[in-house]
Amino acid sequence: MPKIKLYNNIAQIGLDQFTPDYEVNENMEDEDAILVRSANLHDIEYSNNLKAIARAGAGVNNIDIDTCTKKGIAVFNTPGANSNAVKELVFAGMLLASRDIYHGIEWIQTQKENENIVKDVEKQKKKYAGHELTGKSLGVIGCGAIGIQVANLALRFGMKVYGYDPYMSVDAAWNLSRYVNHVTNIDDLYRQCDFITIHVPLNDATKNFINKDSFDKMKDGVKLLNFARGGLVDEDALLDALDANKVAAYVTDFPSLKVIQNDKVIAIPHLGASTEESEENCAVKAAQELMDYLAYGNISNSVNLPNAKMDMNSPFRITCIHENKPKMISQITDILKDANIENLMNKSKKDIAYTIIDLDSEVDTTPIEKINGMIRVSTYKK
Ligand SMILES: NC(=O)c1ccc[n+]([C@@H]2O[C@H](COP(=O)([O-])OP(=O)(O)OC[C@H]3O[C@@H](n4cnc5c(N)ncnc54)[C@H](O)[C@@H]3O)[C@@H](O)[C@H]2O)c1
């Protein structure tokens, strides 16, 4: 019975996806898979049995991906499952940055004993006046699941939208409105936009993506939104840009002690995906990804292995995670020369490849495990 270890409270509807053939709980050893939300897994000891980690959410910086890849552990996430929730909060953030709703509410809270409140509101309201979104320009950095939804909705607000994403997938491109201006040089986005929102993953290449150099190129009085990860913005450069009135407001879902000291920062306690709907969507998707992998070796939405999905119509399946180098398939098929291969799929992602082979009968896979460059071999019976 495959064992699934839980590292956070996972929405019940997600746990209900697991059939009775799975053991699912928080306290176990020798787990086959981990289901996690945001718990930090960097310092955990991986069980030798561990085959997969599914993150019910998009960002995976709570997981040591390189170690997982070396050990042949598939890491899944659930892109898109929380994108509507984040999109809605980005718009709340944009409205908070353009109308002084926040300070207005703060002032109202101090007036609980004021019997002239109705009159005073009319006197005070000009202090909190702002601007409309319609007619303003929005730059979206990263046009993935969230960026696309933000860009498309901004058009409906009557904004002029610029999208920047050199690595955009074809699927994503199909979903992005053709009225979004495609920017190939990010400096053009910095120069033209009243609002800039960033929706890229945080990794070594994107750390401090928005830095002094970027701020220097932005319009005076730009409003910056960060609902992706705190580390994408260089906070020292941001504080200088806020002091110099280059940036009029910074709305972030990732408060740090440094940035919350500044009055122009509107900080939200990481609420982007915190809706019941989003947590349920993510939990369901993560559970389904794990079951499809553990039962059939099918991969969808893995961050370290290629997507590979094949209906299993044969009695026996072998899957191999291996280095992406020449002669791997020929060595495998050579070992299987006396067997009847009914179906075969090979996919690669950077340095790693994944091969699924369906056979009409069971074979011993020990010689395949010994091939140089082989990382992990698994077998499945129908
Ligand atoms: N605030 C929250 O609670 C919350 C919730 C979900 C996701 N997130 C964050 O939002 C990020 C985006 O989520 P998503 O679901 O849209 O992910 P996604 O993978 O669908 O999209 C990310 C996009 O960024 C693009 N990209 C990567 N590097 C880039 C670069 N250097 N320049 C421009 N574009 C680049 C990719 O091509 C991709 O299209 C996640 O990585 C996560 O950190 C935050």
Side-chain angles (χ1 to χ4, degrees), residues 84-366:
N84 190 63
V86 181
K87 169 198 78 180
E88 290 187 3
L89 202 64
V90 169
F91 273 83
M94 242 192 285
L95 291 165
L96 288 170
S98 53
R99 315 283 289 266
D100 201 1
I101 306 166
Y102 176 75
H103 291 112
I105 292 174
E106 231 179 24
W107 174 71
I108 292 283
Q109 291 298 315
T110 65
Q111 303 300 306
K112 289 187 177 161
E113 310 292 321
N114 182 356
E115 296 195 349
N116 290 324
I117 177 85
V118 176
K119 267 193 183 161
D120 284 353
V121 160
E122 294 310 316
K123 271 197 244 156
Q124 292 291 328
K125 67 179 185 185
K126 57 180 169 298
K127 268 194 178 169
Y128 307 108
H131 295 278
E132 298 179 18
L133 298 183
T134 301
K136 303 296 181 306
S137 49
L138 170 69
V140 180
I141 302 173
C143 297
I146 298 169
I148 286 176
Q149 292 215 34
V150 170
N152 290 349
L153 184 57
L155 291 170
R156 301 183 71 177
F157 268 75
M159 300 183 86
K160 186 159 190 186
V161 185
Y162 296 84
Y164 172 80
D165 188 336
Y167 315 106
M168 193 176 182
S169 71
V170 175
D171 275 353
W174 275 104
N175 292 320
L176 186 69
S177 165
R178 66 194 168 94
Y179 296 106
V180 172
N181 297 288
H182 176 202
V183 173
T184 49
N185 180 348
I186 196 158
D187 294 354
D188 292 337
L189 182 151
Y190 289 147
R191 268 194 288 271
Q192 301 188 71
C193 292
D194 303 307
F195 291 82
I196 295 174
T197 184
I198 183 160
H199 300 287
V200 305
L202 175 62
N203 52 42
D204 290 345
T206 58
K207 190 168 178 350
N208 291 337
F209 189 104
I210 308 251
N211 50 42
K212 179 176 180 331
D213 201 36
S214 336
F215 288 121
D216 286 347
K217 289 170 185 151
M218 291 179 194
K219 268 185 162 179
D220 288 343
V222 64
K223 285 152 185 164
L224 178 65
L225 297 113
N226 180 3
F227 285 80
R229 284 292 178 265
L232 294 167
V233 176
D234 177 338
E235 292 191 341
D236 290 322
L238 167 74
L239 292 173
D240 288 346
L242 288 164
D243 286 345
N245 292 325
K246 168 60 92 175
V247 176
Y250 176 59
V251 187
T252 180
D253 210 11
F254 304 94
S256 74
L257 195 56
K258 213 180 223 179
V259 298
I260 62 171
Q261 311 298 329
N262 192 301
D263 275 352
K264 292 180 196 158
V265 172
I266 299 171
I268 300 166
H270 197 177
L271 295 181
S274 295
T275 65
E276 209 173 303
E277 295 86 340
S278 151
E279 281 173 19
E280 290 182 355
N281 289 344
C282 290
V284 168
K285 205 164 176 178
Q288 288 172 345
E289 288 165 359
L290 277 186
M291 281 195 296
D292 205 17
Y293 186 63
L294 294 175
Y296 303 110
N298 284 331
I299 301 179
S300 42
N301 297 321
S302 171
V303 295
N304 61 341
L305 301 182
N307 284 339
K309 206 170 161 70
M310 203 162 87
D311 284 344
M312 185 170 169
N313 297 315
S314 305
F316 191 67
R317 170 170 286 187
I318 304 170
T319 64
C320 307
I321 301 171
H322 53 85
E323 290 174 17
N324 185 18
K325 61 181 188 181
K327 301 204 175 115
M328 292 303 290
I329 309 289
S330 58
Q331 289 182 80
I332 299 170
T333 51
D334 194 44
I335 290 168
L336 297 173
K337 61 181 180 298
D338 295 327
N340 185 22
I341 296 179
E342 295 190 326
N343 222 341
L344 186 150
M345 175 184 273
N346 172 262
K347 297 275 176 143
S348 64
K349 183 170 188 160
K350 296 182 186 160
D351 299 336
I352 297 293
Y354 188 67
T355 302
I356 306 178
I357 302 165
D358 282 354
L359 301 165
D360 67 355
S361 58
E362 190 169 343
V363 294
D364 174 19
T365 55
T366 319

